[in-house]
Amino acid sequence: MLPPPDIRGVYRTDERARAAYAEAAGIYRIIPRAVCLPADVADLERIICWAADHRLPLVPRAAGSGMAGGNVGDGVVVDLTQMADQRLEVDPNGRCAVTSAGITLAALNTAAAQHQLRLPPDPSSGAWATLGGMVSTNAAGARSVRYGSVRPWVEALTLLTSDGQATKLRRGKVPEDHSPSLSRFGQEAAPAIRSAAAHIRSRFPRTRKNSAGYALDAFLDSGDVLDLVIGAEGTLGIVTEIEWRLDPIPRHRAGLRVALTQLDELSNSIRILLESRPSALELLDRTFLDLVADQRVAGAGLRFTAAEAVLLVELERDDPRTLRESIEEATARIRPLAYAVDSAYSEEAAQRLWAIRHAASPIIAALPDSRRSLQVIEDACIPIDRMGEYIRRLRNAASARGISIVMFGHAGDGHVHVNLLPDIVRSGWEASVAALLDDVTDTVIELGGTPTGEHGDGRLRAATLRRVYGDQIVELFHQVKQSLDPPGIFNPGVILPSGEPPISRLKVGQDAVPLPRDIERGLREIEVTAGYARCRLELA
């Protein structure tokens, strides 16, 4: 019997605790070996050293709202949300903040808003998403079209490596306290990456966003190990603290809603709207409009009967006159391509136009258990000029497999989210989903895209990286992992695949591992109500 770690926090191996952490957002149900809730950073350091000594995998996790499967696994799940030494400090003069990894985006922005500041990246999970989780996936959101993803807003972070040592990584500076892992990286992986610079530049997707694999391209640009840790999904170490740049909140907000009758006009429309420097530019595909067709919200049932796609545009300015002029100019430029354009000159009016964007969530949540929403092909980012072609081919591929889909996304980045709605009572549905994932991955690569724009590879897309990047770059990924995590304890099977098929160990279907009924109901309730702020140990 393995001795438990010497910590003041919680360590449990009983069936109920393990069952409570078997699921997160996404498609998987994997019962962990144990569950650990460290009391503070000192506890976390002891857990890492204990795991390294015994070669036990650790699965770092916070809210559990990530969808690619990087927050579940066979090892010891480490829930970072209950640590007592949480830090949240905003410096209004320096327009910056220091936070613990377990602080939520909502908490940071609430504190920053008192000084008319914010952290601009805004994933839809921002009400409960922790800042450490956002760093781990290089999260983005609707406003990434103007403000980018998390990476450029991180000034520094503190990383616990597999030797249990805390190291401060600051942008533009060599770490003062070199851990053995960082020394190894500097001697082995870093020179290999630099010598392959031309090949890396040629193989990385030329998309506006990319969270696939380790960010070798960002490391080449900056020389900062920090840029490899961002987006590493907890596979290189555990982030405990982050220093952020903040941005002033624009004083005025307005918007447009544009309906298009032809997918062929999508790319041109996006390019025209990007000229107005929108803070958000969202896509609602015909599949989305069909789902909400019976809803009265924003006139969905009447206004969009002929639309193949709807674009939602948000503009932010400090001057109301400049904002009105921007809305009028954008309307005039886009009207020749659209069959309907609705303008909103105030924040309240813009919110009404955008109400349709949120109409699908309760419908999807209320689907019967026989037709569950699965996030499988849910994060591809495509060059904007290929978006219409990608959507058309995805519709056809799903139809050929007999699988209903709902598509929406961040149009300004060429980023498309897809919910599959398979009939899980139908025999062979898992094979159809796996085949669709395979087909669409080929399409994404052919069109010059990336399988993941902001959610990360997780377990779901790890096996696609060799197809995206080729053998040489995947070997560099292995070198990065080996140098920074030589015992291989951090999130094995994430980013670098374990060899297990991606469509396996699902939370739905007759092959799903059974859980205690009350815990299964509780996990389902969290999924339906987006109750990810709840500590899962409460279910046990």
Side-chain angles (χ1 to χ4, degrees):
M1 178 70 70
L2 184 71
D6 181 18
I7 61 171
R8 294 182 296 107
V10 175
Y11 178 79
R12 290 178 58 171
T13 59
D14 59 284
E15 177 190 6
R16 291 183 62 79
R18 292 161 57 219
Y21 284 86
E23 293 183 11
I27 65 175
Y28 295 108
R29 178 182 292 174
I30 303 172
I31 297 178
R33 176 178 182 141
V35 172
C36 193
L37 285 74
D40 50 27
V41 172
D43 255 7
L44 184 56
E45 291 173 353
R46 295 188 193 99
I47 292 165
I48 291 172
C49 292
W50 168 80
D53 288 343
H54 296 286
R55 291 297 194 268
L56 283 177
L58 298 178
V59 182
R61 155 175 181 150
S65 57
M67 287 188 279
N71 42 22
V72 293
D74 294 302
V76 179
V77 169
V78 183
D79 183 341
L80 303 172
T81 62
Q82 305 302 304
M83 294 167 67
D85 50 351
Q86 299 285 1
R87 185 179 180 189
L88 171 52
E89 299 173 4
V90 175
D91 175 7
N93 295 322
R95 291 184 179 176
C96 59
V98 179
T99 71
S100 297
I103 296 294
T104 64
L105 173 63
L108 171 58
N109 277 339
T110 297
Q114 298 176 35
H115 310 284
Q116 293 301 305
L117 297 171
R118 70 181 180 187
L119 180 64
D122 63 331
S124 59
S125 58
W128 56 81
T130 64
L131 295 164
M134 289 173 58
V135 166
S136 76
T137 59
N138 189 30
R143 293 197 178 109
S144 60
V145 67
R146 181 166 182 179
Y147 298 102
S149 61
V150 156
R151 180 171 283 112
W153 298 94
V154 176
E155 282 297 301
L157 55 80
T158 301
L159 181 72
L160 292 182
T161 51
S162 58
D163 42 44
Q165 184 169 330
T167 300
K168 176 66 71 67
L169 302 175
R170 181 170 295 281
R171 194 167 293 287
K173 292 188 177 180
V174 176
E176 295 177 1
D177 48 349
H178 264 304
S179 71
S181 296
L182 283 169
S183 296
R184 220 173 6 254
F185 173 82
Q187 295 166 7
E188 300 171 5
I193 294 170
R194 293 188 183 103
S195 67
H199 184 63
I200 291 168
R201 303 283 190 202
S202 69
R203 288 303 301 257
F204 265 62
R206 290 178 172 83
T207 49
R208 290 176 60 99
K209 291 191 290 191
N210 178 30
S211 286
Y214 296 120
L216 306 183
D217 54 343
F219 173 74
L220 287 173
D221 289 340
S222 68
D224 294 328
V225 182
L226 172 148
D227 281 323
L228 288 174
V229 174
I230 297 169
E233 302 184 65
T235 62
L236 304 180
I238 297 180
V239 174
T240 59
E241 193 170 270
I242 310 115
E243 295 184 25
W244 302 94
R245 287 195 308 112
L246 301 178
D247 203 50
I249 300 173
R251 296 180 181 180
H252 302 280
R253 183 177 297 126
L256 293 173
R257 189 172 61 193
V258 179
L260 304 173
T261 57
Q262 299 181 51
L263 282 179
D264 292 339
E265 299 292 356
L266 181 59
S267 296
N268 285 337
S269 299
I270 292 171
R271 277 194 289 269
I272 288 171
L273 292 168
L274 285 175
E275 294 175 7
S276 298
R277 296 185 302 113
S279 52
L281 176 49
E282 296 287 278
L283 164 74
L284 307 180
D285 177 64
R286 177 75 256 167
T287 56
F288 184 104
L289 300 174
D290 287 342
L291 186 72
V292 302
D294 295 331
Q295 302 293 301
R296 293 187 177 181
V297 58
L302 301 174
R303 188 70 166 152
F304 307 119
T305 53
E308 282 297 311
V310 166
L311 296 173
L312 301 175
V313 188
E314 177 190 81
L315 290 94
E316 296 178 321
R317 303 287 190 271
D318 286 324
D319 176 60
R321 179 178 177 181
T322 301
L323 180 60
R324 174 173 283 273
E325 290 173 353
S326 297
I327 289 287
E328 291 172 350
E329 290 170 3
T331 301
R333 283 197 295 262
I334 198 63
R335 195 174 293 282
L337 295 181
Y339 91 87
V341 181
D342 299 304
S343 304
Y345 291 93
S346 69
E347 184 168 351
E348 294 74 17
Q351 288 175 347
R352 288 194 293 273
L353 287 189
W354 278 64
I356 188 175
R357 172 67 174 80
H358 308 290
S361 294
I363 299 173
I364 292 174
L367 288 171
D369 286 343
S370 61
R371 188 173 289 276
R372 293 282 290 275
S373 173
L374 297 181
Q375 296 82 18
V376 175
I377 305 154
E378 48 86 36
D379 200 39
C381 196
I382 306 294
I384 289 173
D385 61 355
R386 311 300 293 274
M387 272 193 77
E389 181 181 356
Y390 174 67
I391 290 171
R392 185 178 292 108
R393 289 173 65 170
L394 183 48
R395 287 183 192 172
N396 292 339
S399 176
R401 300 287 180 185
I403 299 174
S404 299
I405 61 174
V406 177
M407 281 191 281
F408 54 98
H410 312 310
D413 291 319
H415 193 182
V416 182
H417 294 314
V418 183
N419 283 36
L420 304 188
L421 308 178
D423 179 358
I424 63 173
V425 176
R426 189 185 73 181
S427 176
W429 70 269
E430 297 96 335
S432 295
V433 167
L436 181 59
L437 173 60
D438 201 49
D439 290 347
V440 174
T441 299
D442 285 341
T443 297
V444 168
I445 295 169
E446 179 187 336
L447 296 178
T450 173
T452 175
E454 64 187 7
H455 293 164
D457 300 302
R459 302 176 183 283
L460 178 61
R461 288 177 281 266
T464 68
L465 293 185
R466 200 169 292 275
R467 293 156 70 182
V468 174
Y469 292 116
D471 293 342
Q472 183 179 345
I473 288 176
V474 170
E475 178 55 34
L476 290 173
F477 291 163
H478 280 280
Q479 289 187 46
V480 170
K481 171 72 170 175
Q482 176 62 30
S483 63
L484 291 172
D485 178 24
I489 61 171
F490 292 121
N491 242 359
V494 173
I495 296 185
L496 299 176
S498 63
E500 189 173 38
I503 306 303
S504 61
R505 298 211 277 180
L506 306 180
K507 65 170 64 170
V508 298
Q510 55 186 350
D511 293 330
V513 176
L515 302 178
R517 293 296 299 277
D518 62 320
I519 292 179
E520 185 172 24
R521 286 195 298 270
L523 291 171
R524 178 66 174 143
E525 180 183 358
I526 287 172
E527 183 179 4
V528 169
T529 63
Y532 294 105
R534 184 179 182 185
C535 178
R536 302 308 189 278
L537 205 59
E538 294 177 15
L539 301 179

